[in-house]
Amino acid sequence: MRKVAYYKGCLASLSAKELDSATQALAPKVGLELIELESVTCCGAGDIHEAEPDYYLHLNARILSYAAAEGVDTLLTVCNVCTLNLRQANFMLLGDTELRARVNENLVAVGVPAYEQDVDVRHLLWEIAEGEGYELLKGAAHKGLKGLKIAPFYGCQILRPSKIQGFEDPDRPWSLERIIQACGGEPVDYPAKIKCCGFPIIQAREETALSELIQPIEQAYEAGADAIVTPCPLCHLSLDAWQSKLKKSTGRDFNMPILHLSQLVGVAAGLTESELKFKRHVVSVKPVLEKLEA
Amino acid sequence: MQVGLKIWRFNSRTGERELQEYEIAAPEEATLLDCLDIVKDQHDGTLAYRKSCRMMICGSCGMRMDGAAVLACKMRMYDIAQSGHVPVISAMGNLPIVKDLVVDMDPFWQKFNSVNPYLQPGYEEPPDGKEHVISQQRMNVVHKEALCINCGCCVSECNAMEADPMFTGPQALAKAMRFVGDPRDGQKLARLEKLNGEHGIWECTRCYFCNERCPKGVDPRDAIAKLGAESMKEGIDRDMGAKHAKWFVTSARTTGWLRETELVPKTQGIVSAIKQTRFALDLARKGKVPPPFPPHVAKDVREARRLHDLVRDQGRNGFAGIVQGEHALARLAHGHSGTETLEEIYDRPGAYHRPFIADEEADV
Ligand code: SF4
Ligand code: SF4
Ligand code: SF4
Ligand code: SF4
Ligand code: FES
């Protein structure tokens, strides 16, 4: 078991509790012992970075510092946007000793330990798409997905900017497809899988956002997907919860179930509803589960 | 080397579209632009594309290779040809095609002009007719934005512009930051006011395609964030996007976690929030929006609050807060740590600190 610090972020703590519960249940099966960070806040979701960027840097430094204080070298995330925010702040601090010293001074002034020991921020997706995590995943996914057609949706910020994320080719990613296959599913290909779902502007510019949101859902639907899987709870929120708005504006009812990455692997690994909490989804996951039982 | 290319031909007069395949012989150091020149000179004179400088300066040769916008003169073909892959070449996105790989740049220039891309002098004259000296540090603020060559690669894949063609877009907004951040410009506030309009900075959906595609390292998305931060620092925050961003700050300093229930009314105002109620109720039934009471408060949130008040007074918000990280992120882009000594750099595996001489290879 490899010990890693675990940063849930806002969504998995609040409206996407199912992601947290599925991740906690899945972790030991893929060789991860999660040390949940308690004294942490929101990473700012790109919004604090835009509103008060210096505060954004300090909030994220505080999260990194509490992760380092656990004596681990990896901070595990389950959200695209958390991953980018934390990695970006981390690179700013690691690459600029003066900046790091100033931020540390501020941290210490309010009673937070200085961020001394470097940690690496990694998304769960990267941990299980290769190496030991991937080997364990193949063994754990014994129940399988029985050839279900799954559309991978990466979203933006796990791929771009690649100079900060850098795990895979941002135009030809492979990690979700590899995981879907390892779980016995059939990955469905479609162009919008690396595009934006519109979430960041879904409140401020709803129409623009919905024109983005419809693309992956429509394309996955047309490619015959049984469900979409995403590594990001914000993508999940817009794809799942805002799908009903598409019906209103386009008259089309896609009824496309949206799964969190941890849930998809969790189903294949035989985790139960009490851990996966599909009941919390807006679009019913039942058709998928029925196909699996059949 | 042999290079294969599939090129989308297009005739705007007839509307005909055809994918044509070419197989050419090119020198090993050839770029995509060199290959197109060979096609045009030796195989098919009817092919249309733009070029001028051939050295990544003029910004004429933006086009798509396998769906991703590139500068043709920057794109080396050796590895691709070696792998046997035959890439698909097409015109850039988000702009109307004139012929083959040539797009109509008119919408691009209109948006560019809409941000008033000229310095509007407004600084105070220095006393005694002396020179107006501006520090390097102060000009570093617009260093990246000033690198733009107006090629349009960022615009090609802008997801917000795909959804709403009226969006001002990454290039024009990065250009706007180039003047907002310039200490010699006297129209900062008026510029920010305008950039906060309907199709301005708050319509960016943060897809980061612009940063990914820009061949010059301008990072337009970061420029947009700088404009947002500077607007809010100057109290220009009436846009829903700004209110949305502000609510995250309030949440972080009060409960530590995002207060999702209040996010919609805080962003959209109470009237449109009421219109959203049915939708919200549907979500609430699934626990998608957590009940407001008791608020979910992070442990030790007092630290986050004190941190907020502490840094607020250190004068690094607005664009300065984003610029301060650029130094370190540039190192990331260029692959050097910035902390190594010369000896350490030369000692890296594979680093030769003297001219490479083939005969000596065995000794190295
Ligand atoms: S796809 Fe949507 S939620 Fe996901 S990272 Fe992009 S904008 Fe954010
Ligand atoms: S003024 Fe600027 S753009 Fe023009 S030649 Fe000189 S350096 Fe180049
Ligand atoms: S980050 Fe914003 S400006 Fe850049 S490409 Fe995406 S939507 Fe367009
Ligand atoms: S920002 Fe970059 S990609 Fe966009 S026009 Fe300028 S140089 Fe080209
Ligand atoms: S020909 Fe000038 S940038 Fe490519």
Side-chain angles (χ1 to χ4, degrees):
Chain A
M1 251 346 130
R2 190 157 69 89
K3 281 192 191 180
V4 296
Y6 169 47
Y7 176 70
K8 283 199 264 195
C10 298
L11 266 280
S13 313
L14 301 166
S15 68
K17 288 205 178 76
E18 68 277 9
L19 169 59
D20 177 42
S21 130
T23 306
Q24 304 253 17
L26 177 67
K29 297 185 184 288
V30 291
L32 297 172
E33 183 183 335
L34 305 184
I35 308 172
E36 193 178 326
L37 296 180
E38 286 187 346
S39 296
V40 290
T41 60
C42 168
C43 72
D47 279 82
I48 298 182
H49 176 243
E50 183 147 5
E52 294 186 14
D54 201 28
Y55 186 41
Y56 146 79
L57 180 62
H58 284 80
L59 274 184
N60 283 269
R62 184 170 172 273
I63 299 168
L64 292 164
S65 156
Y66 278 119
E70 296 292 344
V72 296
D73 59 8
T74 302
L75 173 55
L76 188 81
T77 49
V78 288
C79 168
N80 287 3
V81 183
C82 299
T83 311
L84 177 59
N85 273 295
L86 283 159
R87 283 180 74 84
Q88 176 171 271
N90 201 21
F91 283 127
M92 285 180 185
L93 296 166
L94 301 188
D96 188 335
T97 37
E98 262 172 59
L99 187 61
R100 188 170 182 174
R102 173 179 158 257
V103 169
N104 271 339
E105 203 177 299
N106 286 333
L107 290 182
V108 170
V110 302
V112 180
Y115 175 40
E116 303 284 6
Q117 206 61 46
D118 300 356
V119 293
D120 192 12
V121 180
R122 288 179 59 85
H123 193 290
L124 174 71
L125 172 65
W126 304 344
E127 292 293 337
I128 60 176
E130 63 176 15
E132 206 193 314
Y134 177 70
E135 294 307 319
L136 289 167
L137 164 85
K138 280 194 289 187
H142 60 90
K143 209 164 152 253
L145 293 173
K146 303 205 173 137
L148 271 185
K149 288 181 139 186
I150 307 290
F153 181 73
Y154 287 87
C156 316
Q157 301 188 11
I158 192 118
L159 299 172
R160 295 177 298 271
S162 62
K163 95 176 161 195
I164 292 174
Q165 299 296 46
F167 177 76
E168 55 195 323
D169 181 338
D171 292 307
R172 273 162 290 273
W174 48 265
S175 57
L176 279 174
E177 281 85 346
R178 191 172 198 223
I179 290 169
I180 293 168
Q181 263 167 350
C183 291
E186 186 193 322
V188 165
D189 199 24
Y190 62 108
K193 70 181 180 186
I194 59 167
K195 288 172 71 173
C196 179
C197 70
F199 185 80
I201 55 170
I202 212 151
Q203 292 190 15
R205 297 289 186 280
E206 187 172 283
E207 239 177 81
T208 310
L210 290 181
S211 326
E212 299 185 290
L213 177 61
I214 193 167
Q215 299 176 33
I217 297 179
E218 183 180 38
Q219 292 176 10
Y221 180 86
E222 251 133 50
D226 294 302
I228 290 178
V229 65
T230 173
C232 175
L234 288 102
C235 303
H236 187 276
L237 190 58
S238 53
L239 293 167
D240 180 47
W242 262 262
Q243 211 178 112
S244 65
K245 290 221 172 186
L246 289 181
K247 191 170 148 194
K248 221 189 256 167
S249 48
T250 67
R252 295 183 63 185
D253 202 352
F254 297 105
N255 263 322
M256 177 62 69
I258 316 292
L259 271 57
H260 296 285
L261 173 63
S262 306
Q263 286 177 325
L264 182 88
V265 182
V267 178
L271 298 183
T272 61
E273 166 65 28
S274 68
E275 292 156 318
L276 302 174
K277 301 198 194 311
F278 287 124
K279 284 208 183 69
R280 295 178 51 87
H281 291 211
V282 176
V283 178
S284 170
V285 182
K286 233 193 208 152
V288 176
L289 301 177
E290 280 169 4
K291 273 201 181 177
L292 283 177
E293 292 313 317
Chain B
M1 64 182 173
Q2 289 300 112
V3 182
L5 295 174
K6 287 187 207 139
I7 305 179
W8 270 112
R9 307 293 306 270
F10 177 75
N11 182 333
S12 62
R13 239 172 266 144
T14 61
E16 276 168 60
R17 226 169 109 77
E18 191 193 349
L19 190 63
Q20 255 175 29
E21 195 162 343
Y22 299 94
E23 171 89 33
I24 58 164
E28 287 189 349
E29 67 277 13
T31 62
L32 173 57
L33 185 60
D34 296 329
C35 293
L36 293 175
D37 283 344
I38 294 172
V39 169
K40 192 171 173 75
D41 292 347
Q42 301 174 14
H43 299 259
D44 185 346
T46 66
L47 180 68
Y49 54 96
R50 278 201 187 96
K51 67 161 182 177
S52 179
C53 69
R54 298 177 293 116
M55 50 178 80
M56 300 168 273
I57 293 294
C58 71
S60 306
C61 65
M63 59 186 68
R64 275 178 167 168
M65 180 157 100
D66 289 331
V70 295
L71 281 184
C73 67
K74 189 180 175 186
M75 195 70 226
R76 297 264 170 207
M77 297 304 287
Y78 182 79
D79 287 343
I80 297 166
Q82 258 2 57
S83 76
H85 175 62
V86 179
V88 174
I89 313 299
S90 57
M92 285 196 293
N94 280 331
L95 291 162
I97 305 177
V98 178
K99 184 175 189 294
D100 300 339
L101 307 177
V102 176
V103 291
D104 184 351
M105 293 291 277
D106 202 40
F108 180 92
W109 297 119
Q110 282 196 29
K111 289 174 182 180
F112 178 86
N113 277 327
S114 78
V115 303
N116 199 2
Y118 313 97
L119 205 59
Q120 307 291 318
Y123 51 84
E124 277 175 35
E125 287 299 326
D128 324 325
K130 280 208 182 102
E131 233 180 318
H132 195 82
V133 181
I134 293 166
S135 67
Q136 180 62 47
Q137 199 189 11
R138 192 59 189 75
M139 283 315 283
N140 282 347
V141 169
V142 295
H143 170 74
K144 281 172 48 168
E145 289 75 13
L147 296 173
C148 173
I149 59 169
N150 312 327
C151 63
C153 289
C154 54
V155 165
S156 171
E157 263 104 83
C158 174
N159 278 197
M161 206 186 285
E162 259 177 40
D164 177 7
M166 296 307 287
F167 174 48
T168 309
Q171 189 275 344
L173 292 173
K175 186 60 72 183
M177 176 58 206
R178 190 249 164 276
F179 293 102
V180 163
D182 193 313
R184 299 164 298 176
D185 192 84
Q187 293 294 317
K188 185 173 101 171
L189 292 182
R191 287 179 189 277
L192 289 175
E193 279 290 348
K194 193 160 173 228
L195 295 166
N196 274 260
E198 189 188 352
H199 300 300
I201 51 176
W202 301 108
E203 198 172 7
C204 163
T205 187
R206 300 185 193 152
C207 70
Y208 281 93
F209 266 109
C210 49
N211 285 24
E212 195 63 42
R213 294 295 184 246
C214 176
K216 287 288 173 178
V218 173
D219 287 342
R221 166 60 217 157
D222 296 8
I224 296 167
K226 290 174 200 168
L227 291 170
E230 197 64 14
S231 298
M232 286 162 82
K233 189 178 146 203
E234 299 291 355
I236 303 170
D237 57 6
R238 61 176 188 284
D239 194 281
M240 284 197 272
K243 295 207 168 78
H244 188 268
K246 255 181 122 168
W247 187 245
F248 277 80
V249 178
T250 310
S251 297
R253 40 185 307 273
T254 50
T255 66
W257 295 112
L258 177 61
R259 289 157 60 179
E260 284 182 280
T261 327
E262 296 143 284
L263 184 60
V264 176
K266 290 292 173 193
T267 305
Q268 300 189 334
I270 205 75
V271 177
S272 34
I274 288 169
K275 281 197 234 144
Q276 296 268 11
T277 321
R278 262 215 61 82
F279 177 64
L281 282 177
D282 284 349
L283 299 193
R285 245 181 280 140
K286 298 291 187 173
K288 280 294 153 196
V289 179
F293 301 107
H296 177 94
V297 178
K299 202 173 151 235
D300 300 326
V301 69
R302 219 177 311 121
E303 288 174 9
R305 195 172 313 146
R306 289 185 56 204
L307 206 48
H308 178 265
D309 298 345
L310 184 67
V311 305
R312 185 190 50 203
D313 300 330
Q314 294 179 353
R316 299 252 196 143
N317 277 318
F319 54 60
I322 296 172
V323 173
Q324 70 178 343
E326 284 180 342
H327 195 51
L329 294 179
R331 287 200 179 123
L332 195 64
H334 301 298
H336 47 84
S337 70
T339 53
E340 285 166 296
T341 62
L342 270 182
E343 284 75 10
E344 283 165 341
I345 292 173
Y346 291 138
D347 277 348
R348 279 187 211 149
Y352 297 98
H353 55 279
R354 56 204 166 104
F356 176 76
I357 300 164
D359 290 349
E360 289 181 8
E361 196 179 11
D363 314 331
V364 184

